[in-house]
Amino acid sequence: VVPAFRAEEHVPPKSNTPTYAALKLHLDNWRWSGVPFYLRTGKRLATRLTEIAIRFKSPPHLLFRDTPIERLNPNWLVLSLQSTEGISLSFDAKVPGAVMRLGNVEMNFCYRDHFGSEPQTGYERLLYDCLLGDATLFQRADVVEASWRAVMPILDAWEGASPHDFPNYAAGSWGPGAADELMARDGRRWRNG
């Protein structure tokens, strides 16, 4: 059990400091038109996890006509960035045999299992690259400025308005219920670890 943010030393018990964000974003270009991007981050969540999870669209028609297969599970490609670096692909495949049955297949690649050592943390790598003068993993100034142009209006709006319904959440949970409602409006749910 970990203490909640407001229970930490030097944090006011009525603090309204933002510690969690859940967003639905769209990219304004033809390639990603209609594709939602859901992001969430927060302090003291159930686990420390950074991943990019891509859920592939279901086909518009049933692939296995005239069989007992009524629906397919979604295919997932998950890029795990932290704390266990790797890639996994999850999909349904036909179980061998004369009867039409599907079984879930998990293909997993984990750096630690494959190479036998822990990858460097992000900071170790960045500090080492700084010493070498290698800027490959660093953002260019124009990209940083564009990011701030996108984020500052949100931060300014938050600063100018007091929260009417502060969506607090328990330490060790996956965040406030409002984040689940964000996904439920689109008939989706978060992947929780």
Side-chain angles (χ1 to χ4, degrees), residues 14 71 107 117 130 186:
K14 299 240 185 238
R71 104 182 151 74
M107 298 175 66
S117 65
C130 280
D186 292 342

Side-chain angles (χ1 to χ4, degrees), residues 120-158:
Q120 297 173 323
T121 68
Y123 292 118
E124 287 173 327
R125 178 67 192 263
L126 290 175
L127 289 171
Y128 183 69
D129 286 350
C130 280
L131 293 171
L132 294 177
D134 182 354
T136 304
L137 296 177
F138 292 86
Q139 295 293 325
R140 292 188 333 249
D142 62 331
V143 173
V144 173
E145 289 172 6
S147 299
W148 278 110
R149 278 194 305 275
V151 170
M152 276 313 294
I154 297 168
L155 296 176
D156 290 341
W158 284 347

Side-chain angles (χ1 to χ4, degrees), residues 41 47-53 78-85:
T41 186
T47 186
R48 184 174 181 198
L49 174 69
T50 304
E51 69 179 15
I52 300 167
V78 179
L79 310 173
S80 299
L81 308 176
Q82 201 179 54
S83 61
T84 304
E85 290 80 0

Side-chain angles (χ1 to χ4, degrees), residues 42-98:
K43 288 182 174 280
R44 300 276 198 242
L45 297 179
T47 186
R48 184 174 181 198
L49 174 69
T50 304
E51 69 179 15
I52 300 167
I54 302 164
R55 179 181 173 186
F56 293 96
K57 279 185 169 181
S58 297
H61 59 281
L62 192 58
L63 295 176
F64 303 104
R65 291 188 195 104
D66 301 323
T67 70
I69 307 300
E70 295 179 13
R71 104 182 151 74
L72 298 173
N73 291 318
N75 297 335
W76 287 92
L77 176 63
V78 179
L79 310 173
S80 299
L81 308 176
Q82 201 179 54
S83 61
T84 304
E85 290 80 0
I87 301 171
S88 66
L89 179 63
S90 172
F91 57 92
D92 281 348
K94 182 185 177 301
V95 175

Side-chain angles (χ1 to χ4, degrees), residues 94-116:
K94 182 185 177 301
V95 175
V99 176
M100 184 59 193
R101 286 185 307 136
L102 296 179
N104 189 259
V105 176
E106 294 278 340
M107 298 175 66
N108 294 305
F109 165 74
C110 177
Y111 276 92
R112 178 184 47 230
D113 295 344
H114 188 75
F115 294 111

Side-chain angles (χ1 to χ4, degrees), residues 20-24 38-40 76 174 176 178-183 188-193:
Y20 184 93
L23 311 164
K24 176 183 176 182
Y38 299 94
L39 308 171
R40 72 175 171 174
W76 287 92
W174 284 104
D180 294 330
E181 292 167 15
L182 169 75
M183 295 293 276
R188 303 175 190 276
R189 59 188 171 89
W190 295 107
R191 287 174 42 88
N192 290 333

